[in-house]
Amino acid sequence: MVHDRVNWRVKTRRAALALTVAALPFAYLGGSAVQAQSLMRSPNLNIQSRIPTINPTVVPRIDPNIAGRTTPNLRTYPACSYAYRNSDGECSNKPVLSTDGGGTGGSGGASGKNKDKNKNSGPRRIVAQTSLNQRTIAGEIVAEIDGSLSDTQADELARRHGLVRLQSQDFPLLGATIGLFRITDRRTVETASRGFATDAGVRWVQPNFRYFLQEQKAALTEGDPAQYANAKLRLPQAHTLARGANVTVAVIDSGVDVKHPELANAIADSFDALGSKEGPHVHGTGIAGAIVSHARLMGSAPAARILAIRAFAVAPNGGESTSFVILKALDYATAHGAQIVNMSFAGPNDALIERGISAAVAKGIVMVAAAGNAGAKSPPLYPAANRSVIAVSATDAQDRLFAASNRGGHIVISAPGVDIFLPAPDGKYQMTSGTSFSAAYISGLAALLLERNPALKPDEVRAILMKTARDLGAPGRDDLFGAGEADAYAAVSAVAPAPATPVATVSDRPAGEIVPDRQDAPATRALNQPPAAMASDKSAVGEVDRPAAR
């Protein structure tokens, strides 16, 4: 009896082992079916003859094509830009558009390749702008050189230090000659910069930093949904007092579709700081549209003029530019009459661009920048973090902070930036989100103030916007909304027209004004209504979004 019990136990254990081994081919997804079957025939197991015959018609077969695939319980994360990165620095397969106050990422900085494919295998708080090879252009440096050097002498200077001069030019904005150089050997940027800085012909050296447009992934669409931003900002009421006439706004961005109906007669000039042949881009077109749209849509300053300056090229992580190119754009803007510069991009603290901004502000130019789409855990991004710049965060239709919006003590004001309906290239439209578009709205508001009083200084424009903002979040100024959400009507109402400057409208331009590239903007039904009809936000928004009969 004992012997029988022992045999029964042995047989039971052998049967269980056989069933376990028989299941191996279906659990071992890391190898092929042949590999799994070879385990079943291993002499060390010595159980092949004891495995019951299994009907092959009921045994699931493993597709050999599955060998090497990632198992279902492991999530993979592609390399991504800020727009696809959540508050923990992890990548998502779509832009994070939640408005629960959590941080996400956006294209405000370099993304970096994320090689860790297991979400739980360790910390993955990778924040763009912290990796040097992603913050800078590999093998390139920017330097201020002696302006008296000829091109031949500048090339010889570069050769002495193992560099090649890519280009150099005089920048009146800085009163300096800046050159772009490439390292010809395997030295690091830091090593090459230290050596180059010792030369008597070199006055200052830094890396060529990267900058990224602050956009979320845009979806092209048709139709004309209500522009909630107009009501939030009280633009219809503000436009009864000012529409940005005679004010020039430089948009340093990607390419603008200057032929879009929304931008008709609004482009004063175009300049390509890249010297590229790229066509219009959704981001630059959307930024210009947020400021001057005046057909189906309504921008914040529909009568303003745009200097469309392309400084960002299309890149895998979104629009991308560099220190040298952005300086060229700033220099052009100041030399061609810009009164406001919109900078819907972000990058690291860059001494070269800081110099350019300081010089522009000294000339009385209002500088506006997107706070960035890097989320709550990001350090301050530039140029928004510059003290002379109006840094703008984004809100949604419910006055909640955009999840991707940067926070910090440098935030000045907020404006709608979630699900914003804007023009796109080829006569199309887009629904998009990002602090980029919040900044564009504020640039337009600044244009309204300057139409009322062109003598306003940049710090005065900043103070008026903050003083008249509608408080959001914690009482008083805070790190999320700054002074609160902008109120265009209150801000314009707070500015008395300059005594010697008549209030200009689309149909009443000052005598002798020269506007070579612009005709009167098409009137919309909202702008043709009497002020009494503008008092209702509800009715005004409905009218703003529809063109007048023609």
Side-chain angles (χ1 to χ4, degrees):
M1 180 66 70
V2 173
H3 179 71
D4 291 342
R5 288 178 180 176
V6 171
N7 287 339
W8 177 81
R9 290 175 180 173
V10 170
K11 291 177 180 179
T12 301
R13 291 176 179 175
R14 286 174 174 173
L17 180 60
L19 289 174
T20 300
V21 174
L24 281 173
F26 318 121
Y28 187 70
L29 299 182
S32 67
V34 174
Q35 290 173 318
Q37 290 168 359
S38 69
L39 291 176
M40 294 173 59
R41 294 193 291 268
S42 171
N44 294 330
L45 294 175
N46 195 26
I47 59 174
Q48 180 66 31
S49 60
R50 295 177 175 80
I51 298 177
T53 302
I54 300 177
N55 186 344
T57 61
V58 298
V59 177
R61 293 185 177 273
I62 297 178
D63 183 351
N65 292 327
I66 203 170
R69 291 185 184 176
T70 306
T71 53
N73 62 321
L74 295 179
R75 293 185 63 189
T76 60
Y77 292 83
C80 62
S81 66
Y82 273 150
Y84 294 79
R85 201 178 293 283
N86 65 21
S87 60
D88 290 327
E90 297 173 350
C91 297
S92 172
N93 61 356
K94 61 182 180 180
V96 182
L97 296 176
S98 63
T99 52
D100 57 1
T104 71
S107 59
S111 63
K113 297 291 183 181
N114 193 341
K115 298 180 180 179
D116 180 5
K117 295 187 178 181
N118 188 336
K119 181 179 180 180
N120 301 316
S121 63
R124 302 177 64 251
R125 301 177 184 276
I126 302 174
V127 178
Q129 311 296 337
T130 60
S131 175
L132 183 62
N133 64 341
Q134 293 298 318
R135 294 171 61 225
T136 63
I137 302 299
E140 289 187 5
I141 59 177
V142 179
E144 179 181 350
I145 60 177
D146 187 343
S148 65
L149 296 177
S150 65
D151 287 348
T152 301
Q153 290 172 323
D155 288 338
E156 177 58 31
L157 169 67
R159 280 193 294 271
R160 290 202 303 268
H161 295 275
L163 306 172
V164 60
R165 183 177 64 95
L166 301 179
Q167 57 180 305
S168 61
Q169 72 177 64
D170 294 330
F171 287 91
L173 176 63
L174 301 183
T177 299
I178 305 296
L180 177 62
F181 300 87
R182 177 175 294 151
I183 303 169
T184 58
D185 51 31
R186 295 187 177 182
R187 289 174 299 162
T188 65
V189 168
E190 294 89 340
T191 300
S193 296
R194 283 196 297 268
F196 198 36
T198 61
D199 197 290
V202 178
R203 298 175 180 175
W204 173 78
V205 183
Q206 72 162 57
N208 194 19
F209 287 105
R210 295 178 188 267
Y211 286 82
F212 295 86
L213 295 175
Q214 295 301 282
E215 60 183 328
Q216 294 287 18
K217 198 169 186 179
L220 298 184
T221 184
E222 300 291 341
D224 188 10
Q227 293 177 274
Y228 77 89
N230 288 4
K232 290 290 183 183
L233 297 172
R234 295 212 289 171
L235 287 176
Q237 295 91 329
H239 289 164
T240 64
L241 302 176
R243 297 180 62 242
N246 310 321
V247 179
T248 301
V249 182
V251 171
I252 298 178
D253 215 281
S254 53
V256 175
D257 182 0
V258 299
K259 297 181 180 179
H260 198 289
E262 297 290 348
L263 310 181
N265 303 314
I267 308 300
D269 190 15
S270 296
F271 171 65
D272 193 333
L274 296 169
S276 66
K277 296 181 179 180
E278 289 181 2
H281 188 256
V282 290
H283 194 271
T285 304
I287 295 299
I291 300 171
V292 297
S293 285
H294 52 257
R296 288 173 58 184
L297 308 181
M298 182 61 66
S300 54
R305 295 168 296 197
I306 296 292
L307 284 179
I309 303 177
R310 185 204 299 272
F312 284 78
V314 177
N317 292 325
E320 182 177 318
S321 189
T322 67
S323 304
F324 190 78
V325 173
I326 290 175
L327 180 61
K328 289 171 67 175
L330 281 172
D331 190 72
Y332 187 90
T334 57
H336 288 76
Q339 295 156 272
I340 301 161
V341 175
N342 186 88
M343 301 177 290
S344 290
F345 53 83
N349 191 354
D350 182 336
L352 181 63
I353 301 305
E354 295 288 282
R355 288 177 63 186
I357 290 173
S358 296
V361 172
K363 293 178 178 291
I365 300 174
V366 178
M367 310 296 285
V368 181
N373 297 345
K377 299 182 180 181
S378 169
L381 298 178
Y382 290 79
N386 183 299
R387 293 182 179 181
S388 299
V389 172
I390 298 175
V392 188
S393 63
T395 56
D396 65 11
Q398 287 73 46
D399 293 337
R400 297 173 299 192
L401 187 72
F402 179 40
S405 189
N406 274 39
R407 286 81 157 161
H410 61 290
I411 303 298
V412 173
I413 201 164
S414 63
V418 179
D419 293 337
I420 304 300
F421 193 63
L422 297 168
D426 302 321
K428 298 179 181 178
Y429 293 82
Q430 59 180 312
M431 186 74 74
T432 188
S433 300
T435 57
S436 278
F437 310 104
S438 305
Y441 276 126
I442 296 300
S443 290
L445 265 59
L448 302 184
L449 301 185
L450 290 181
E451 178 190 332
R452 292 279 279 181
N453 187 351
L456 289 175
K457 300 292 191 294
D459 59 342
E460 293 174 327
V461 171
R462 178 194 189 103
I464 293 169
L465 290 172
M466 294 182 70
K467 183 178 180 180
T468 58
R470 180 167 57 91
D471 193 20
L472 295 179
R477 201 221 148 269
D478 59 67
D479 289 353
L480 279 66
F481 306 97
E485 187 170 70
D487 185 330
Y489 182 64
V492 175
S493 298
V495 179
T501 305
V503 179
T505 65
V506 169
S507 59
D508 181 22
R509 296 187 181 277
E513 180 192 11
I514 299 175
V515 188
D517 297 320
R518 179 177 172 83
Q519 301 295 326
D520 290 346
T524 66
R525 190 181 307 170
L527 295 176
N528 290 336
Q529 289 180 337
M534 303 289 286
S536 169
D537 286 353
K538 183 176 180 180
S539 62
V541 172
E543 295 296 334
V544 163
D545 292 340
R546 292 172 176 77
R550 299 180 182 176

